[in-house]
Amino acid sequence: MKDIFFLHGLPRAGNTVFGSIMNQNKDVAVTANSICADIFSEIYLLQNTDIFKNFPDHKSFDNVTKNIFNNYYKDWNYKYIIDRAPWGHPTNLKNLKKIKSNIKIIVLVRDIIEVLGSFLDWSEREPSSFVNQYEAKTREEKCHMLMNKEGVIVKELIGIKHLLDYQPKELYHIINFKDLVKDTENTINSVYNFLGIPKFKHDFNNISQFKINNMNYDDTIVGKGLHTLKEGAIKNYKENYNAYDIVPKSIIDEYKQCNFWIKWKKNYYNYFQHLY
């Protein structure tokens, strides 16, 4: 029986490098973006159908949902699976609690302006970037597109807010992107402590491309290089741009309150009231 843990991370907040580091441990598998949360959501919608309501066989239904993780990861030869999806989002967490107790979610966060800046920098270097595949042309338009209500950034932010507001601290463990790249060993050790699993001596001088269960990302659909890592020592990680220089001031003023995990939590609450 595999232990299943969870990763809820803002885009461009180190999910891929975190996975590459943790996956050095042959007992651990941090997944790529997972469809498991969506599988649960789609299946639970069936309970609203007339067919199910006409013959509500909950026991048989539970036999399916309680074995989704076991079946999905049946061929993954690891002791510990860390499934990456927006598990802190209210809907996903509600579904998860129906089939699992002792939930542990690792949460990766980053200054939201740096998140947007990272997307902008990549889109301007890479024509195939998904950011360039919409009507948005200016930097301001691209940022608004990235921050749309149905987009992954907002879903992750809502999930983080939900965890901080309504869930016990024992359920989640927050990692700031800067700590991951600047204080890597202590940050990774804190993850092992949180999960309660044996520690592993990682090689922080040999960061390689993300690969797990003999599979790599195929970024054809989203744009070349979205999940490409800078190989080598993580201590040498440095971006050659300043997000606050390339993100328009109007965007900074509008979205900086999302940095609730640092010092803007009160304003963040007000900003996201209309999303519920």
Side-chain angles (χ1 to χ4, degrees):
M1 182 70 71
K2 301 175 179 68
D3 286 334
I4 307 293
F5 304 112
F6 306 96
L7 174 61
H8 178 117
L10 280 170
R12 317 306 287 172
N15 295 275
T16 307
V17 70
F18 172 79
S20 177
I21 291 170
M22 292 297 295
N23 290 343
Q24 293 176 355
N25 185 338
K26 302 304 181 183
D27 288 336
V28 173
V30 176
T31 75
N33 287 293
S34 169
I35 62 171
C36 286
D38 292 327
I39 292 174
F40 278 103
S41 293
E42 292 296 323
I43 288 178
Y44 277 112
L45 286 176
L46 295 174
Q47 289 187 324
N48 297 324
T49 63
D50 291 343
I51 294 175
F52 184 83
K53 290 179 179 179
N54 184 232
F55 193 84
D57 186 356
H58 288 279
K59 184 175 181 180
S60 297
F61 188 91
D62 291 345
N63 287 338
V64 174
T65 58
K66 290 180 179 179
N67 283 287
I68 287 176
F69 286 125
N70 290 336
N71 289 328
Y72 192 87
Y73 291 113
K74 179 181 178 181
D75 297 324
W76 289 53
N77 189 28
Y78 304 89
K79 291 182 180 179
Y80 312 107
I81 304 291
I82 303 177
D83 186 279
R84 177 188 172 190
W87 286 109
H89 191 279
T91 300
N92 292 336
L93 189 55
K94 179 181 177 181
N95 291 338
L96 189 58
K97 286 184 174 182
K98 292 176 182 177
I99 59 98
K100 185 174 176 59
S101 59
N102 192 30
I103 296 168
K104 293 188 176 184
I105 305 176
I106 301 158
V107 182
L108 294 182
V109 299
R110 188 180 186 183
D111 183 317
I112 196 64
I113 305 307
E114 292 182 3
V115 171
L116 294 173
S118 180
F119 274 120
L120 286 179
D121 175 71
W122 171 59
S123 73
E124 292 172 4
R125 289 185 288 104
E126 179 49 57
S128 69
S129 164
F130 77 89
V131 182
N132 299 324
Q133 297 173 10
Y134 300 89
E135 293 299 322
K137 301 302 180 185
T138 67
R139 288 177 172 179
E140 188 173 43
E141 290 172 342
K142 289 179 180 181
C143 288
H144 283 308
M145 181 273 293
L146 288 165
M147 292 295 288
N148 78 86
K149 289 183 181 181
E150 302 303 319
V152 64
I153 295 177
V154 170
K155 286 183 178 179
E156 297 285 358
L157 284 170
I158 289 174
I160 297 169
K161 178 183 187 301
H162 182 66
L163 290 171
L164 292 177
D165 281 2
Y166 304 111
Q167 304 304 316
K169 292 182 179 180
E170 295 77 16
L171 187 144
Y172 59 87
H173 177 67
I174 293 182
I175 294 175
N176 192 295
F177 174 74
K178 289 184 178 179
D179 292 330
L180 178 62
V181 299
K182 300 299 182 183
D183 190 19
T184 312
E185 184 172 4
N186 287 331
T187 301
I188 293 299
N189 283 338
S190 75
V191 171
Y192 281 103
N193 291 335
F194 170 64
L195 299 180
I197 63 177
K199 291 181 181 178
F200 178 84
K201 187 172 179 58
H202 291 274
D203 184 357
F204 303 117
N205 293 312
N206 186 28
I207 305 302
S208 57
Q209 297 304 320
F210 181 93
K211 183 176 183 178
I212 195 63
N213 208 39
N214 297 316
M215 291 180 289
N216 305 86
Y217 273 108
D218 179 1
D219 280 341
T220 305
I221 190 66
V222 292
K224 182 180 178 182
L226 180 61
H227 296 98
T228 300
L229 296 174
K230 298 176 182 178
E231 298 182 334
I234 194 167
K235 67 180 180 179
N236 294 330
Y237 178 89
K238 184 179 181 181
E239 292 171 326
N240 51 12
Y241 66 90
N242 185 331
Y244 280 79
D245 289 337
I246 65 175
V247 175
K249 184 178 184 304
S250 61
I251 297 296
I252 295 173
D253 291 341
E254 182 168 358
Y255 294 117
K256 66 182 179 182
Q257 62 263 45
C258 297
N259 294 318
F260 63 94
W261 59 84
I262 302 177
K263 58 183 177 181
W264 295 287
K265 188 172 181 180
K266 183 176 180 181
N267 291 332
Y268 167 84
Y269 291 165
N270 297 331
Y271 174 75
F272 277 98
Q273 287 303 311
H274 69 284
L275 295 177
Y276 281 90

